[in-house]
Amino acid sequence: MALARQNLSSAHPQDEVSDKSAVAGAVLNSSSQKTILDVLIEKKLISPQKAQEIKLEFINSGTTIDQILQTRNLVSESDLVLAKSIFYNIPRINLSETPASPEALGLLPRSVAEANQLMPFAYDSELNLLSVAMANPLDLQTIEFIERKSETRVKPFVATLAEIKKAIAERYEAGLATEVTAALKDTSPGVQAKTVDIRNRGEVIRAEPITKIVSTVLEFAVKSRASDIHLEPQEERTRIRYRIDGILHEKLVLPKEVHEALVSRIKVLSGMKIDEKRIPQDGRFNFRADDEEVDVRVSCLPTSHGEKIVMRLLRKASNVPTLPELGLRGRALKNLEDAILRPHGIIIICGPTGSGKTTTLYAILSKINSTRVNIVTLEDPVEYQIPGINQVQINPAVKLTFATGLRSFLRQDPNVIMVGEIRDSETAELAIQASLTGHLVFSTLHTNTASGALPRLLDMGAEPFLLASSITANVAQRICRKICPGCKKEFVPEQEIIEDIKNVLGKLLDERRMTVLKLFTGAGCVECNNTGYFGMTGIFEVLPVSEKISRLILERSPASTLEKQAVEEGMITMKQDGYLKVVEGVTTIEEVLRVAQE
């Protein structure tokens, strides 16, 4: 209660007598002196004329200013909450961006949170301080009740009612509070150590509360469309982040005491050594959630605060997308399809880690897969199983590398060979030789552009005359988030942005004959977790190797010269492809610049 009183007194220093006088001072201040309307005017959220109209309506009708603003939709709920935060000097909290603490949830039942429209989100055990998001943080009666119920001191924060309701539904449903409390009891210093029969170790581990925490973390990842889960030990807590649509979101924080038990459980599931904590380890396991089977690749890394776990989720039921579904279209799609229909040659997919190169390779292989061709792949690791394709995972421990595997493949009578990555000169030389002897070869390179792949291969020792006759096409790509269809809205961009789009697209924009350039953005909604984005698409550039480009390869021309020639021959660059998707309302200019700006 003292903390709530401190918040109000800092907003209005003249009122320090009692809790009731603090509230009275706040209300008096909002009506006779500076009001929330003044804050909204300062933030340019409403005009002074509109504020005057609201004041007159407030005097004449007796309705509160909050009700007038909400019923007339003059400002958004989020803007009104921000104004309240400034006016009452109470911190604003965005629950969609704030991780949940199971300890905090365990201090207040869901029924209490729903009845009082509040959300506990953090707990400091040293100060016995519970942080609570409230739609009405001036309700001192509710704060008193929460302090008695939780036996803590309460620090109020202000949040929108919609955010609070969504957070209650999501985080209480996860139901981690009971398991974390039980796990903390098991790991507390005063608990007598248990004797575990090694023969029944699996059964014992499955019976622990920590099992529920791991399964809940995995289930939440599947529901939220996450591709990766990061369990990161920090000095005083363990944070859990999910990569959703390519961006990491912090969703959960756990007490540091449960971290080792959590890591041990995941190690057991993935077949790692529990007692080995000095070196990195890798493993994998399967689990089923919502009738969907998911393959989980696990990586364990020792850090200064403990072992960090990263889990990559690969959904077995998900079908390999087609090339148009990935975002390829028009001239780029035609050039790539022409290249993959040739019986021999090398096609290289370029881009940094996480740009979707492997998915594009799988889409190409699925397109050409049939009973008439023998397709063999060499991968690190095999991410998706494709029926009808012979997939091999490299194993350096037994000297099965990209180079040695590729040498063996040539004795397997293949039509199509896919090598996960060209990492050294030996692999590059073997791939070129395979293409020259009548095989179609696919691989990847870590270069930023399609034109950059050719000088990279020359640097690896590939002969220019062999490279010029074997390479048929290079593809460079990036992944960007798509605008959420549920909250998509149109706007007219600033003149500076319009000029930038015209400079980048040039004739490509003229072909669309747009009189007024209108772009789109996502306002943020429940479906997209208030990010404005939902799902992902690719932006591409496809460089077919023509006669002129082959001549430039023989001359060892730099990447800039190769790209200039390709653009003259009609290649659409990655940035241009991204800007076209911006104009069409698929994504935003910020996303394109985030992934494709050199």
Side-chain angles (χ1 to χ4, degrees):
M1 195 64 221
L3 194 61
R5 188 161 55 241
Q6 182 185 342
N7 276 342
L8 288 171
S9 62
S10 63
H12 312 287
Q14 71 273 20
D15 302 314
E16 294 181 328
V17 181
S18 66
D19 297 335
K20 291 182 179 178
S21 63
V23 179
V27 175
L28 177 64
N29 189 24
S30 66
S31 59
S32 62
Q33 301 174 21
K34 187 177 179 180
T35 67
I36 286 180
L37 292 174
D38 296 316
V39 178
L40 292 169
I41 292 168
E42 286 171 11
K43 292 291 178 182
K44 297 182 180 178
L45 297 171
I46 61 171
S47 65
Q49 295 81 6
K50 188 65 70 177
Q52 198 61 36
E53 290 176 21
I54 295 167
K55 283 179 181 178
L56 287 171
E57 187 174 338
F58 165 67
I59 293 166
N60 294 328
S61 66
T63 312
T64 65
I65 289 175
D66 282 13
Q67 289 172 335
I68 295 168
L69 289 167
Q70 289 173 345
T71 53
R72 291 177 59 181
N73 289 324
L74 296 171
V75 292
S76 67
E77 188 183 5
S78 181
D79 288 338
L80 183 56
V81 164
L82 177 63
K84 284 181 179 180
S85 170
I86 296 167
F87 181 58
Y88 295 120
N89 194 25
I90 296 174
R92 161 78 163 107
I93 187 75
N94 187 342
L95 289 173
S96 62
E97 297 176 1
T98 305
S101 164
E103 283 182 294
L105 297 177
L107 291 168
L108 281 180
R110 179 172 183 167
S111 57
V112 172
E114 287 178 331
N116 294 279
Q117 297 180 346
L118 52 85
M119 177 68 198
F121 63 88
Y123 175 63
D124 187 331
S125 56
E126 290 184 9
L127 300 175
N128 192 30
L129 183 65
L130 181 65
S131 296
V132 179
M134 305 177 67
N136 181 15
L138 294 178
D139 187 349
L140 298 182
Q141 189 175 354
T142 298
I143 291 173
E144 273 188 66
F145 169 71
I146 297 303
E147 287 184 336
R148 288 198 307 272
K149 184 78 177 173
S150 62
E151 297 180 350
T152 63
R153 294 164 62 232
V154 168
K155 181 177 181 180
F157 289 73
V158 61
T160 68
L161 187 57
E163 285 174 5
I164 290 171
K165 287 181 177 178
K166 182 174 182 285
I168 290 171
E170 279 186 356
R171 293 167 189 184
Y172 275 100
E173 190 176 308
L176 280 180
T178 308
E179 285 71 31
V180 170
T181 305
L184 282 171
K185 286 179 181 176
D186 286 349
T187 54
S188 59
V191 177
Q192 186 177 356
K194 296 178 183 177
T195 302
V196 178
D197 186 345
I198 193 68
R199 292 168 297 178
N200 301 322
R201 185 179 63 174
E203 294 300 322
V204 171
I205 290 170
R206 280 195 290 273
E208 297 292 336
I210 211 75
T211 305
K212 177 65 176 174
I213 298 176
V214 174
S215 62
T216 305
V217 166
L218 290 167
E219 285 167 11
F220 183 83
V222 173
K223 287 178 183 176
S224 58
R225 304 177 295 107
S227 61
D228 300 84
I229 308 170
H230 292 238
L231 275 75
E232 300 171 313
Q234 296 182 318
E235 192 172 356
E236 297 178 349
R237 63 176 192 163
T238 292
R239 73 173 179 183
I240 300 179
R241 295 193 290 172
Y242 295 87
R243 190 175 294 280
I244 303 169
D245 293 337
I247 305 293
L248 280 170
H249 299 270
E250 189 176 352
K251 293 289 186 183
L252 191 65
V253 290
L254 295 173
K256 188 67 183 289
E257 292 82 0
V258 302
H259 181 77
E260 284 198 21
L262 204 62
V263 170
S264 296
R265 170 63 180 162
I266 294 169
K267 280 183 170 183
V268 168
L269 287 172
S270 50
M272 297 182 196
K273 295 177 182 177
I274 298 178
D275 55 345
E276 181 55 81
K277 300 180 180 182
R278 301 165 300 168
I279 60 173
Q281 295 187 71
D282 294 311
R284 66 194 306 162
F285 65 91
N286 294 341
F287 84 99
R288 182 176 289 277
D290 296 334
D291 296 327
E292 183 178 7
E293 193 169 351
V294 181
D295 184 21
V296 184
R297 290 210 323 260
V298 185
S299 172
C300 181
L301 180 73
T303 72
S304 57
H305 293 301
E307 292 177 281
K308 176 184 174 180
I309 297 279
V310 174
M311 294 183 277
R312 166 67 58 89
L313 275 62
L314 302 167
R315 290 158 178 79
K316 292 188 174 183
S318 58
N319 296 320
V320 176
T322 63
L323 293 174
E325 286 172 350
L326 290 175
L328 274 158
R329 72 269 178 85
R331 191 175 299 159
L333 179 60
K334 185 179 185 306
N335 287 338
L336 181 57
E337 286 180 336
D338 289 345
I340 64 179
L341 289 175
R342 293 185 184 183
H344 55 82
I346 300 178
I347 296 171
I348 295 181
I349 314 294
C350 311
T353 303
S355 59
K357 301 186 297 295
T358 306
T359 305
T360 301
L361 282 175
Y362 282 148
I364 292 171
L365 293 179
S366 295
K367 182 177 176 63
I368 61 177
N369 186 19
S370 75
T371 55
R372 296 189 297 274
V373 293
N374 177 22
I375 302 174
V376 288
T377 74
L378 193 59
E379 305 173 54
D380 181 26
V382 175
E383 293 193 5
Y384 293 100
Q385 300 284 348
I386 305 176
I389 293 179
N390 307 289
Q391 295 172 269
V392 178
Q393 181 165 321
I394 71 163
N395 187 357
V398 293
K399 297 183 180 180
L400 175 55
T401 63
F402 284 124
T404 58
L406 187 52
R407 205 182 294 277
S408 301
F409 277 7
L410 298 176
R411 296 190 290 273
Q412 285 285 319
D413 186 31
N415 299 102
V416 178
I417 298 171
M418 192 268 268
V419 183
E421 186 183 343
I422 296 177
R423 294 179 180 173
D424 50 45
S425 57
E426 187 181 4
T427 309
E429 184 182 344
L430 287 167
I432 291 170
Q433 291 298 330
S435 71
L436 293 173
T437 53
H439 303 92
L440 184 58
V441 180
F442 296 96
S443 192
T444 69
L445 263 181
H446 283 96
T447 59
N448 291 329
T449 61
S451 56
L454 300 166
R456 176 68 61 85
L457 290 169
L458 291 171
D459 290 341
M460 284 183 180
E463 292 293 343
F465 66 93
L466 293 176
L467 199 60
S469 56
S470 61
I471 296 281
T472 54
N474 289 346
V475 181
Q477 68 179 81
R478 301 287 190 278
I479 294 177
C480 56
R481 294 177 291 174
K482 293 195 291 186
I483 297 171
C484 174
C487 58
K488 187 175 180 179
K489 64 177 183 179
E490 191 180 86
F491 72 99
V492 177
E494 297 175 4
Q495 190 60 36
E496 187 180 349
I497 295 173
I498 293 173
E499 290 302 321
D500 181 37
I501 292 172
K502 287 180 177 178
N503 289 336
V504 171
L505 292 181
K507 292 180 181 178
L508 294 171
L509 188 63
D510 296 336
E511 291 172 7
R512 279 157 174 73
R513 299 175 183 175
M514 301 180 73
T515 53
V516 179
L517 189 61
K518 291 184 178 179
L519 304 184
F520 296 85
T521 187
C525 62
V526 175
E527 287 296 317
C528 63
N529 200 24
N530 290 317
T531 60
Y533 297 98
F534 190 93
M536 306 187 78
T537 189
I539 55 175
F540 298 85
E541 63 182 26
V542 178
L543 188 155
V545 178
S546 62
E547 286 186 21
K548 289 185 178 179
I549 290 177
S550 294
R551 202 173 299 121
L552 290 173
I553 294 172
L554 290 170
E555 297 169 2
R556 292 181 176 269
S557 299
S560 56
T561 306
L562 292 165
E563 184 172 310
K564 185 179 178 182
Q565 179 60 38
V567 170
E568 286 178 9
E569 293 177 5
M571 182 184 82
I572 296 174
T573 66
M574 254 189 310
K575 194 172 182 181
Q576 286 177 328
D577 187 38
Y579 272 35
L580 287 172
K581 288 181 168 75
V582 169
V583 171
E584 292 164 8
V586 176
T587 186
T588 63
I589 199 164
E590 293 83 6
E591 271 297 289
V592 175
L593 293 175
R594 179 178 69 85
V595 300
Q597 182 76 304
E598 292 297 324

